Structures are given as structure tokens and as C-alpha cells.
Amino acid sequence: MGSPSCKLAELRLANQRSTHTQAAEEAMAEAVASNRNLRTMTLNTRSTRAREQIEKALQANMETMRRQRVEGGAGGGGAAAAAGRGEGGGALIAVE
């Protein structure tokens, strides 16, 4: 799952008609924690542990991107340029 070329930044899974198990929620939380590019995610969870793990991973990803943007300066590329286009701003962490 950890392909270096994976650039998934947003994942919306809320309001699905099917239910999922706690094991599936835990697996999703582990997958989110291993993805360093994911910034936003919506998912309805019943597991408090999975929800907290997902929130922590998303906040860490946003903090890493913020640090890269600050270190890169105003004229930098990559994450700094993406943030300037509005792709890195605003956090949507709606894990319910």
C-alpha cells in the first residue's frame, strides 16, 4: 500500500449505506497512519480508538506540510506552491 508515488490528499467515506466492523475501522486507521500525504478524510466510525488514531495521523500530516511550507519560504516549490494555490489550506477532519 505504501507506494512512493501515491499522492492521495483527500478521502471522503462518510454517509455510506453499508456498515463496517471495528476491525475494518482499525485497518483503515493503520492505512491512514501510513499515508503521509493524506490531509483530509471524512468517515463515520464507531471505534473511538480508530477515530483518534486517524485524527492524530491527519494532524501530523498537516503539521509536516506546514513545516515544509515554512522551511521552503515564499518562493519554494512543492508543498509551498500547493499551499499557495489553496490545496494545503484549511483542515477538514470530520471523523465521526
Side-chain angles (χ1 to χ4, degrees), residues 13-96:
L13 299 171
N15 301 319
Q16 300 296 315
R17 294 186 188 272
S18 63
T19 60
H20 43 275
T21 64
Q22 184 171 351
E25 290 178 358
E26 296 291 331
M28 179 64 73
E30 290 178 24
V32 169
S34 69
N35 183 318
R36 300 293 178 224
N37 296 310
L38 192 62
R39 292 187 308 260
T40 60
M41 179 176 180
T42 58
L43 174 69
N44 297 339
T45 61
R46 292 176 294 208
S47 169
T48 303
R49 181 175 183 268
R51 179 175 39 251
E52 289 173 355
Q53 189 175 5
I54 291 169
E55 288 174 351
K56 183 179 177 181
L58 293 175
Q59 287 180 348
N61 290 352
M62 288 188 300
E63 178 63 20
T64 299
M65 290 180 183
R66 184 197 66 79
R67 271 192 249 122
Q68 289 173 350
R69 191 173 57 243
V70 169
E71 290 172 3
R85 290 191 305 266
E87 296 174 11
L92 173 64
I93 303 175
V95 181
E96 300 171 352

